[in-house]
Amino acid sequence: MTTSSAPTLLGIDVTLVGTMLVAVAAAATLLAIYAALTVKDPMAKRVQSLNARRAELKAGVIARPNAKRQSLVRRTKTTERIKDTLENMKVLQDSQVKAIQQKLAQAGIRNREYAVAVIFARMVLPIALGFGAIVLLYWIELFPDWSSFKRFLGFAAAVIIGYKAPETYLKNKATKRTNEIRKGLPDALDLLVICAEAGLTVDAAFNRVARELGRAYPELGDEFALTAIELSFLTERRQAFENLAYRVDLDAVRGVVTTMVQTERYGTPLSSALRVLAAEFRNERMMRAEEKAARLPAIMTVPLILFILPVLFIVILGPAACSIADAFSGDAGMGGGGGG
């Protein structure tokens, strides 16, 4: 009597892993269908956040007219409780909070109080995932064929993922947002040049560019609209430009901010400086496109070898191999008949 066992690869049940992958694919398909059926206007949330920021700045100007910098944030009871807990545990550092607050701003998250939640998640998630890995690997023994070394590697991977997950999520979101802003910056500078030559003020020009490019480049339109609001309400206009460089981790934006600050201070012509910057950024964008095109053959070499060439060999040599196999099988049959 034969007993059938599930196929394994390096001690891992292939059937179980395949079932889990199919479940993940089905869940992703359902999520994509739900996202396609419930499409919302991306401008509504942006307009709501910008109106909230305008109201906060207006309230700060009325309440504290002599303040040099308005950094109003709403503190919730949950974040206050988390902050008090971390301060009591002596794990909350000001430099760490400031670094995470900048990453939140670069990722497009306006509420700076979430920095405390990120630090708390980075402290709690390794413990939670590590405990879950211990339960699954040692108590329940989800993979009984695994050795002690593999179980320890699974536990260590769970702890590392729990520690790096919040920061990695913020970094990926900030990188994606920065790339989207980089794409639309040359067009935004061209529009700023046109607005400056038309006689508009700086805050009106930023607001106009935000309205014109808000649909094509929503991230850039969001930043320009917020800068226009801060230019209207902050007591120091330089601070509004520095806030823009603080929220966008991009050398091009820092160059624009430096140009704006020098224009405000020395009264130099804005249109000529912005025209030079726009030409430089457009040439840089073209060079990046040419660099990607030049890297494409080297990048396509590995997929070509792994996926395309084997298929070509099967298609070309498959019929010949089948014919040769049929010929050999026929000769073997004839030889066997002659021998009989």
Side-chain angles (χ1 to χ4, degrees):
M1 183 176 180
T2 61
T3 59
S4 61
S5 61
T8 59
L9 180 63
L10 298 178
I12 301 174
D13 191 353
V14 177
T15 305
L16 178 61
V17 174
T19 305
M20 295 173 63
L21 292 177
V22 170
V24 171
T29 304
L30 293 177
L31 182 61
I33 295 173
Y34 174 76
L37 294 177
T38 59
V39 177
K40 297 181 180 180
D41 187 8
M43 297 293 291
K45 188 176 181 180
R46 289 178 49 223
V47 171
Q48 184 179 1
S49 62
L50 292 175
N51 289 334
R53 178 61 176 167
R54 184 184 289 110
E56 289 177 356
L57 289 173
K58 186 176 180 180
V61 170
I62 294 174
R64 294 178 293 174
N66 295 325
K68 291 185 177 180
R69 182 176 182 180
Q70 306 297 334
S71 59
L72 300 176
V73 291
R74 290 174 292 181
R75 297 177 179 269
T76 60
K77 294 182 179 179
T78 304
T79 55
E80 284 292 338
R81 193 178 298 112
I82 294 174
K83 185 175 181 181
D84 294 338
T85 304
L86 294 177
E87 288 178 350
N88 293 331
M89 297 175 64
K90 306 297 182 181
V91 296
L92 192 63
Q93 300 177 359
D94 292 337
S95 59
Q96 188 179 17
V97 173
K98 291 180 180 178
I100 295 179
Q101 284 178 350
Q102 186 173 8
K103 291 180 181 179
L104 288 172
Q106 293 171 359
I109 301 174
R110 303 302 180 197
N111 195 341
R112 298 170 61 188
E113 290 299 307
Y114 286 160
V116 180
V118 172
I119 296 174
F120 183 76
R122 196 165 60 181
M123 184 181 68
V124 172
L125 280 179
I127 300 175
L129 293 182
F131 180 75
I134 291 174
V135 171
L136 293 177
L137 296 177
Y138 291 96
W139 291 354
I140 302 178
E141 294 185 356
L142 184 61
F143 302 106
D145 297 336
W146 281 17
S147 62
S148 59
F149 181 71
K150 288 183 179 180
R151 294 180 182 181
F152 176 75
L153 288 181
F155 168 75
V159 173
I160 294 173
I161 290 172
Y163 181 77
K164 290 292 185 179
E167 188 175 356
T168 304
Y169 172 75
L170 286 179
K171 184 178 180 181
N172 292 337
K173 192 171 183 180
T175 302
K176 182 179 178 180
R177 195 167 188 273
T178 301
N179 291 333
E180 294 297 327
I181 292 175
R182 183 188 288 113
K183 293 178 183 178
L185 191 58
D187 299 333
L189 290 182
D190 287 337
L191 286 177
L192 279 178
V193 171
I194 295 172
C195 294
E197 292 178 347
L200 294 178
T201 60
V202 177
D203 50 350
F206 270 83
N207 198 9
R208 182 70 178 182
V209 172
R211 288 202 308 268
E212 293 295 333
L213 296 180
R215 295 288 182 179
Y217 306 104
E219 292 82 6
L220 182 62
D222 189 11
E223 294 297 336
F224 272 42
L226 185 56
T227 303
I229 292 172
E230 291 181 345
L231 285 171
S232 302
F233 286 98
L234 291 182
T235 55
E236 293 184 3
R237 297 170 64 86
R238 177 180 179 179
Q239 189 61 52
F241 296 124
E242 291 179 354
N243 289 340
L244 177 61
Y246 175 83
R247 294 190 304 267
V248 181
D249 186 17
L250 198 60
D251 293 335
V253 172
R254 284 190 282 270
V256 174
V257 167
T258 303
T259 303
M260 291 292 181
V261 171
Q262 292 178 355
T263 302
E264 291 284 337
R265 178 180 296 179
Y266 303 110
T268 56
L270 179 62
S271 59
S272 59
L274 290 179
R275 187 179 292 108
V276 173
L277 286 176
E280 290 180 358
F281 296 157
R282 185 169 288 103
N283 291 333
E284 183 182 355
R285 183 170 63 179
M286 184 61 67
M287 290 176 61
R288 285 199 304 270
E290 292 176 354
E291 182 182 355
K292 289 183 179 180
R295 279 204 318 264
L296 189 60
I299 295 174
M300 288 297 295
T301 302
V302 176
L304 180 66
I305 294 174
L306 293 179
F307 301 107
I308 299 177
L309 290 181
V311 175
L312 289 178
F313 289 152
I314 292 173
V315 172
I316 295 173
L317 301 179
C322 293
S323 300
I324 294 173
D326 292 339
F328 275 107
S329 63
D331 293 339
M334 292 175 61

